[in-house]
Amino acid sequence: MTERVTIIGGGLAGSEAAYQAVKRGCKATILEMKPVRFSPAHTMEGLAELVCSNSLKSESLENASGVLKEEMRVCGSLIIKAAEASRVPAGNALAVDRKAFSDYVTGALADAGVEIERREVTDIPEARPLVIATGPLTSEPLAGAIGGLISSSNLYFYDAVAPIVYKDSIDMDRAFMASRYGKGGDDYINCPLDEDEYRRFVEALLAAEMVKPREFEEMKCFEGCMPVEAMARRGPDTLMFGPMKPVGLVDPRTGKRPYAAVQLRRENIEGTLYNIVGFQTRMTFPEQRRVLGLIPGLERAEFARFGKLHRNSYIDSPRLLTPAQSLRTDGALFFAGQITGVEGYCESAASGLLAGINACRRSRGQSPVCPPPTTVMGALVRHISSERDSAFTPMNANFGLLPPLKGRDRRERLARRAIEDMRAWVDGGFKFLETSA
Ligand SMILES: Cc1cc2nc3c(=O)[nH]c(=O)nc-3n(C[C@H](O)[C@H](O)[C@H](O)COP(=O)(O)OP(=O)(O)OC[C@H]3O[C@@H](n4cnc5c(N)ncnc54)[C@H](O)[C@@H]3O)c2cc1C
């Protein structure tokens, strides 16, 4: 008997998962709620709908998104094949005709024999292996059932994300390492501001261009995830009592407490990425670069991830998932795509790719696998499934997740190593690097 993998959600992750499973000889069924029910962002009947931009971002190997695409190509990704077949000219970016893209995926899955049942799933089916790939706008009844399965405190509905910058782009002649009141070692990078710098920053923040929330994203924020600009609107000094408070800090250059300070906290084990604490924002990406560049030390900061605030259902993967994308408590129940806390079209598809491979392996009693940590795909799934003390926020592909290399041409060498290691993983039958899951 051929083993069957059941997948809830025929988006980018679910489609890729189904394709990978059938490519390996498993049967696959996708349970997709469109057109019976549409999320507030979906409008097309076809699978793998791109709900917003028609770009899958850059193909250049100078950035991690381009490297991830190359890795997916090496793995035989359906989403990359569909994008190549439906591409429209867009310079370095892999942009597509979204209708042709969705038609290609829907047709390829039908040709491969994937069964597609069009219905809303409202409870967790008994079928195993099961892949839940219902995305950032998972319908409410199923979100409730997932909350019941993993505990609702492990399921988030909004994403209030502070920007993350590369450490080596921070000017450490202006910034300094310290913890407030000297507690906890030199854990934070601190950017001190004098009064003029603070006032100029607040003025620029209040005048900055913001991304407008979609109707279904209008929300009341908890104090803990309030955007920095909303705090600034409460009064000119509010930020000095919030994320820019200087208490407990002494600038080693002046020997005094700064007028205000911005703190950055380490984001990954390697210490290559730092997030700007409390700076979740709706500023547009160019405005984040400009306005946050007024903070001393961040003038030339390079952003690994920009700040955001939007509707996004995702689970607390660091506490729940293995790098193979299955639950730690149920090795036959997988999550894939944006619901795992990866962020972006390709990242979601890559997560589906790995879940599809592992769901098929599971159905045959084989152990789970994961690409090496030196690949962008391997680093990303390890990042989201690594336990941490701080709150988990979604993550996109970026070079800061990879084990660092020293010396010149680092990005080029990181990219080359990632692609070579991915080829070796694929040539070795996708299995030489098994996870401990
Ligand atoms: C409004 C919005 C705009 C975005 N814009 C971009 C962008 O421009 N670029 C980018 O890189 N990323 C963007 N993202 C983030 C992310 O990359 C996409 O959401 C991506 O589509 C996620 O892929 P996925 O497969 O996880 O989910 P999806 O592609 O959303 O697929 C999930 C599927 O599950 C189905 N489903 C949901 N609930 C059920 C249920 N109960 N039963 C059966 N089926 C169900 C849905 O109908 C859908 O087809 C955006 C996200 C949102 C919400």
Side-chain angles (χ1 to χ4, degrees), residues 9 11-13 32-33 42 52-53 121 133-136 139 337-338 344-345 348:
L12 294 161
E32 166 55 53
M33 70 175 181
H42 290 82
C52 188
S53 165
V121 178
T134 42
S139 76
Q338 186 113 346
Y345 294 149
S348 296

Side-chain angles (χ1 to χ4, degrees), residues 159-163 280-282 285 288 306-310 343:
D159 192 355
V161 162
Q280 49 277 4
T281 178
R282 275 213 151 114
F285 292 175
Q288 289 187 42
F306 285 102
K308 271 188 201 162
L309 232 102
H310 62 178
E343 172 104 21

Side-chain angles (χ1 to χ4, degrees), residues 239-259:
L239 291 178
M240 276 174 52
F241 296 95
M244 296 180 81
K245 61 177 181 277
V247 292
L249 293 171
V250 176
D251 184 344
R253 275 163 215 93
T254 61
K256 291 190 193 142
R257 183 167 105 172
Y259 186 80

Side-chain angles (χ1 to χ4, degrees), residues 101-112:
F101 174 77
S102 167
D103 285 349
Y104 185 102
V105 172
T106 311
L109 291 177
D111 292 347

Side-chain angles (χ1 to χ4, degrees), residues 347-370:
E347 288 84 343
S348 296
S351 154
L353 186 145
L354 191 55
I357 293 175
N358 279 319
C360 186
R361 289 178 66 86
R362 173 77 189 195
S363 72
R364 297 180 174 148
Q366 295 168 332
S367 55
V369 294
C370 184

Side-chain angles (χ1 to χ4, degrees), residues 314-337:
Y314 67 102
I315 61 172
D316 194 359
S317 293
R319 292 174 58 181
L320 299 169
L321 286 193
T322 69
Q325 312 275 273
S326 61
L327 279 184
R328 291 186 192 164
T329 52
D330 181 350
L333 178 46
F334 296 81
F335 282 82

